[in-house]
Amino acid sequence: MNAKEYLWQVGIIDARLKTIDANIQKIQRDIMSMGDISVSSKWPDGQPRGTKTTDPTGSKAVKLADATNEKRDQLIRELRELEYRQIITRSHLWSVRMDVIDTIEKIYDPAEPITKTYYKLLMLRYIDNKTWEQIAVELGYTFRHTTRLHGIALKRMEKILNE
């Protein structure tokens, strides 16, 4: 994997993290929306209707509610397992993302002031996902000079990756 591919993986990771976050939120909403299903013993007018277990209709309603509660509990267990797997995946992706950032930080050498520019350029492009125009303005260079510095920074990244 060359330096550019290595650095671009952060963008892919960020997209996957957004998807995982959306999935986790959806799972949590689904779990919260599954309230207890119970058989009400009275209708709004206060009269009992088919809720006694001796009543054939009442016993069917109780069995139906119990079966529905079992399915709900099973669904909640499955959703919790899915949520756990998503969180583990998210954690792994964050650690890869942090490794890339740590590698970019290795490019900075206080003895060489220009390496600070390389560091900023790579962070803005690959971590902050800025356009070349935005990077050029932020660094105070022309577009062409910014892309030239990018090439030099990538060569330095290649050296770091091949160490």
Side-chain angles (χ1 to χ4, degrees):
M1 177 182 304
N2 67 26
K4 209 173 205 179
E5 291 169 344
Y6 178 76
L7 294 169
W8 273 122
Q9 75 180 341
V10 172
I12 295 166
I13 288 170
D14 287 344
R16 285 192 62 201
L17 286 170
K18 284 181 185 177
T19 303
I20 288 172
D21 287 344
N23 288 343
I24 289 171
Q25 288 175 356
K26 182 185 180 311
I27 290 167
Q28 290 171 342
R29 279 193 311 271
D30 290 348
I31 289 171
M32 295 299 290
S33 70
M34 293 182 179
D36 275 341
I37 299 170
S38 60
V39 179
S40 176
S41 64
K42 293 189 179 182
W43 286 63
D45 64 0
Q47 299 299 315
R49 289 187 175 82
T51 56
K52 294 181 181 175
T53 54
T54 57
D55 180 6
T57 309
S59 63
K60 286 181 184 177
V62 169
K63 286 179 186 175
L64 179 62
D66 288 344
T68 307
N69 278 333
E70 284 179 29
K71 283 186 178 182
R72 179 188 49 83
D73 291 343
Q74 180 184 355
L75 256 176
I76 287 174
R77 281 193 301 276
E78 289 173 10
L79 286 171
R80 291 277 184 217
E81 178 64 30
L82 180 61
E83 180 183 30
Y84 175 75
R85 287 194 308 261
Q86 294 281 317
I87 289 170
I88 296 298
T89 303
R90 187 180 192 288
S91 173
H92 172 71
L93 290 173
W94 265 105
S95 69
V96 172
R97 187 179 196 281
M98 294 309 296
D99 287 344
V100 172
I101 291 171
D102 289 344
T103 305
I104 292 173
E105 287 174 354
K106 291 178 184 176
I107 206 167
Y108 178 64
D109 180 9
E112 286 183 78
I114 191 68
T115 59
K116 185 174 184 179
T117 303
Y118 299 151
Y119 166 76
K120 278 181 164 178
L121 191 149
L122 294 176
M123 290 296 286
L124 290 170
R125 180 67 179 160
Y126 297 102
I127 304 304
D128 298 339
N129 204 23
K130 302 271 183 160
T131 65
W132 288 115
E133 292 81 8
Q134 291 170 325
I135 296 168
V137 167
E138 195 158 329
L139 294 178
Y141 294 120
T142 64
F143 177 87
R144 186 169 182 201
H145 188 63
T146 302
T147 56
R148 192 176 310 124
L149 289 173
H150 177 254
I152 297 167
L154 285 178
K155 286 178 185 173
R156 288 191 174 233
M157 277 299 294
E158 287 282 343
K159 287 180 185 174
I160 291 168
L161 291 172
N162 292 326
E163 286 179 349

